[in-house]
Every structure is written in structure tokens, then in C-alpha cells.
Amino acid sequence: MSRADGSDDRIEIIRERVEGDPDAATVEDVVTLIEHVDASERRRLVEVLDRKLAADPSTAPDLLRAVDSLFDHETDDVRTVAATIVERISGRYPDRVTPAIDRLAELVHDDSPFARHHAVWALAYISDREPALVAPLVPTLRPADDEPPYFEHEHVVTILENVSTTDLDAITPLLPALLELLEGADEFSGDSVGGVPSSGTSGTIDQDQFKEPIDAPLVAAELVADIGRTEPHELKPFVDDLIAVLETVSRRPVRREVVDALGGIAETDPEGVEPAIPTLATTLDATDVALQVRAAQALGFLASTAPTSVTAAVEERVETLAPLLREGTPPAQGSVAGLFSYVAEENPAAIAPAIDALIAALDTDAVYVRASAAIALGYAGGADARGALVTLLDDDLEPEIREPVREAIERIDSRTDTSP
């Protein structure tokens, strides 16, 4: 088989024929050659199949059937090429690759790291369109103890993110892997994740430069926080791991999500998160307001069962948090006022730097902010606080605020001479 210029390059001839007429060679003709050429020629054949697929998408099912036997080939590179072809199909038409999901699942644990790589990429594309089909495979995505770690964790995280949109429970088997990724979060930055594509983006698979990158550690942290909020019992065994991440990782967005995860557990099982009290308290010193607020909320949950420990950890930081009562959003005000209400009951003197800010918080619109501020003032306030509470009581208050205000006035009266 020679070209007009006398050269004898069968792959180039096939490529030119397919470009001129996609029907000039069947996918079976091209796939058959894969077993009989060297590694570099196999890559060229992949490009031929990619062009044929682009010209005629209806060939996808035939191509999947043709490469199926290659998944069992004894040569690592042949299996890798088979996975690459399926990845090419999934990059354009992920819904057409679903018949190959079981094969891809097998390749996730292939001896060839490159075969594993392409299999995970293909599953990432499929998970964007059909997350429910990929969900059962999630437990298999973590390498076994005797296997080398995957180097495509960004795409594993993409799979988990996609699957979580329909079945958050499905990703819990990979919590250890997500936490391992968080431990190395500081190694990633906006620049270091560039070029890693997220699934479902437009363009062919060989145009990764046009795809949106993902921040794998941050996505992993968000998934962990989601589990903490909705399935806290699943995350409880990993409290020590979360504490370690919070103590060693400096990336603010990741730290916020880790604190949210701890807060999610603390809301339903505060005793299980009590070891995190000192670490959460140190985050109150951060210059990141969002982190301070989330830590205050988590400590408020913990104060319900460990008021003494929380107060001891927080009392020196009351002055740091007080400005949030004046300047923060209602959720920030509510978190800080709620925490102060516990601290005030345990150690009223510790709240002294925040009395004026708590009085100011009585004028906010949010009922839960005013209620928490009233409770704190009831334990720690004096004449000024009582006057503000009495004024508030004269208003047409909602039932959920009227009772805390009345009780706060009674507490102040019971320990001072400020009653009329």
C-alpha cells in the first residue's frame, strides 16, 4: 500500500482516506491494527479514530464493541489505548459510553497507571451526564493498600462531586481519600491546578487548554462539609483528621469548609467534637471573618454540652469577636451572640468587653440575634442593659423574643439593685 510519493505509511494512508471519506475505513479495520503496531503508531491510530468519530458520531457503539476485546490484552499499552479510545468517546458523547462502564471499572485497578488514568478520566465525563450510573463504582475508586496512589485525583474528585448531586451517601466510602487530599491542600494554588479539566466541558479531549480547571482540595473540602451537614454520623469517626487539617493547612477556603464540617457534627453530636474546642477557638483569632463566624457557630453548638471548656477557650477572645455584633451580617451576629450567651452564663465577667455591642444587637431585625443577645445580657448586663431590654419589651415583640427578654430582665434584677 503506497502513496503517490512512493512512501509506504499505512496509518497515514488510512488517516488521509478517513479525512476524505469517513466511510473509507471501518472502525473495525482501524482497531484491528492496534494489536500489530508499536506504541507510537497506536497513538496515531487513536487520532484516526478520533477524526472518524468526530465526522460520524453514530460510529460510537461500533467503536466500543470493537475495542472491548482490547481491555483483556496482555500488553499494558494496548489496554491503555483501549481506555484512551473510550475516554475520547466519553469526552464528546458521555451518554454513549455507558455500556463500557463495567470495563472502565476494571481498568481503574489495572496494572498500568496510564490505563487507570484514562479510565478515571472517562468515568469523570460519564458522571457529569449519568451520575447515578457511576455512583455504584465509587467504592472501587480508592486504590487498594498494595496499589500505587492514583495521580489523577482531580478527576476522582470530579466524579465524587458529580455523584454527590444525586447521592451524597454514595461518596462516603471515599472520605479517607478526601481527607488525605485535604492534608496536602497547601500544595495547591490557583496556578498549580491550571490545565486540569473538569468533566462535561466543551471541546475534544485533546483540547484541555480550553477547559475549566478544578481546585481539587477545595472541592474535596466542600464535599466533606456537605457530608458533615447532612450525614454527620458518617464523618464523626474522622474528627481527629479534621482537627489535624485545621491545625496544619493554611488555605482559608479549605479551612472554612473544615470548620463547617466540624460544626455539622457538633450540631447533632457535640460531645463527639469536644476535642476540637481548642483548635476551633484559635480560629477565632483569624483575620478571615467568614472563618471566625463559622468557628463561633461550631463553638456555640459545643457549648451546649461543654460550657466550661468552651468558655475557657473563648473568654480571652470576646473582645476580638465583639465587633461582629455591630458590623456583621445577621448570621454572623447570631453565631457570635449565641456563643456569648453560653459564655455569659458560665463566666459573666468575660463578656464585659462586649456589653455595648450586645445592647446594640438588640436593635437588629433578626429575631434569633436579639434573643441570643438578650440571653447574654441577662447573665452579664447591668443597668444599661436592663434599660435597653425594658425598652425592647415595650415593643410589640414576637413570642420567641418576648420570653427571653423578660427572663433576661428578671436575671439582672435577681443579682442587682437595678429593678424599679
Side-chain angles (χ1 to χ4, degrees):
M1 184 182 297
S2 299
R3 301 168 61 195
D5 61 6
S7 63
D8 186 11
D9 187 338
R10 54 184 172 173
I11 296 177
E12 182 63 18
I13 292 171
I14 291 175
R15 185 190 67 78
E16 290 178 353
R17 286 183 176 178
V18 168
E19 283 187 347
D21 178 10
D23 295 328
T26 67
V27 292
E28 290 84 2
D29 294 335
V30 180
V31 171
T32 299
L33 292 174
I34 291 175
E35 297 182 70
H36 306 291
V37 297
D38 62 25
S40 62
E41 290 180 315
R42 290 185 188 120
R43 270 56 186 179
R44 295 172 64 199
L45 287 173
V46 170
E47 297 306 321
V48 172
L49 290 168
D50 196 48
R51 293 174 185 274
K52 186 171 178 60
L53 183 65
D56 184 7
S58 67
T59 60
D62 293 336
L63 183 52
L64 284 175
R65 285 191 291 270
V67 302
D68 185 75
S69 63
L70 300 184
F71 288 116
D72 298 318
H73 201 278
E74 62 182 9
T75 303
D76 288 354
D77 190 65
V78 172
R79 296 194 305 276
T80 298
V81 167
T84 303
I85 291 170
V86 176
E87 178 200 338
R88 296 287 178 117
I89 301 172
S90 64
R92 286 196 179 97
Y93 317 110
D95 54 326
R96 301 189 182 187
V97 191
T98 52
I101 282 183
D102 290 340
R103 283 297 203 177
L104 293 171
E106 295 171 4
L107 282 180
V108 165
H109 296 281
D110 194 88
D111 291 337
S112 166
F114 297 101
R116 298 198 301 268
H117 173 84
H118 290 286
V120 171
W121 275 38
L123 288 170
Y125 284 108
I126 297 170
S127 70
D128 185 67
R129 292 282 185 87
E130 300 287 350
L133 293 179
V134 179
L137 303 182
V138 167
T140 72
L141 295 177
R142 180 173 173 79
D145 292 339
D146 58 346
E147 290 181 320
Y150 298 151
F151 54 83
E152 60 278 354
H153 54 264
E154 292 91 349
H155 295 85
V156 173
V157 170
T158 297
I159 293 171
L160 299 183
E161 182 182 26
N162 290 336
V163 168
S164 72
T165 61
T166 59
D167 187 0
L168 187 61
D169 287 342
I171 74 171
T172 55
L174 258 67
L175 269 172
L178 291 172
L179 291 166
E180 287 175 13
L181 183 54
L182 294 187
E183 292 171 2
D186 283 345
E187 300 173 10
F188 291 76
S189 66
D191 293 335
S192 67
V193 298
V196 178
S198 59
S199 65
T201 50
S202 60
T204 57
I205 203 73
D206 54 354
Q207 293 177 318
D208 285 348
Q209 66 269 27
F210 299 116
K211 298 177 181 177
E212 293 294 327
I214 64 169
D215 185 336
L218 179 56
V219 174
E222 291 168 345
L223 292 174
V224 169
D226 286 343
I227 293 172
R229 282 186 288 266
T230 60
E231 303 289 342
H233 62 282
E234 296 283 1
L235 197 55
K236 182 182 175 181
F238 303 99
V239 166
D240 289 343
D241 300 276
L242 292 169
I243 294 172
V245 171
L246 198 55
E247 290 176 341
T248 58
V249 171
S250 61
R251 287 191 63 191
R252 291 181 179 182
V254 171
R255 287 166 59 81
R256 292 172 196 156
E257 299 299 329
V258 172
V259 170
D260 265 357
L262 288 167
I265 306 170
E267 187 171 8
T268 58
D269 186 8
E271 292 183 0
V273 191
E274 287 180 13
I277 290 174
T279 303
L280 286 169
T282 62
T283 64
L284 296 175
D285 299 326
T287 56
D288 181 354
V289 172
L291 183 59
Q292 287 180 307
V293 171
R294 297 177 192 205
Q297 182 181 50
L299 288 164
F301 293 140
L302 291 167
S304 65
T305 58
T308 302
S309 298
V310 170
T311 298
V314 169
E315 57 189 5
E316 295 181 359
R317 298 176 169 91
V318 169
E319 190 169 0
T320 300
L321 293 176
L324 292 176
L325 288 169
R326 297 180 182 273
E327 304 163 6
T329 61
Q333 293 173 315
S335 295
V336 174
L339 176 60
F340 283 179
S341 68
Y342 285 105
V343 175
E345 182 177 8
E346 192 72 16
N347 182 8
I351 298 298
I355 293 296
D356 289 344
L358 286 166
I359 292 174
L362 295 176
D363 291 329
T364 62
D365 293 330
V367 171
Y368 61 92
V369 174
R370 288 186 288 166
S372 295
I375 293 171
L377 290 170
Y379 287 113
D384 290 344
R386 186 184 189 282
L389 290 165
V390 169
T391 299
L392 185 62
L393 195 61
D394 290 337
D395 294 338
D396 185 17
L397 296 177
E398 300 89 339
E400 55 266 40
I401 179 64
R402 175 170 291 276
E403 189 60 21
V405 170
R406 185 187 60 77
E407 291 178 355
I409 295 171
E410 290 178 355
R411 285 196 187 94
I412 295 175
D413 290 344
S414 68
R415 58 184 169 76
T416 67
D417 295 326
T418 57
S419 57

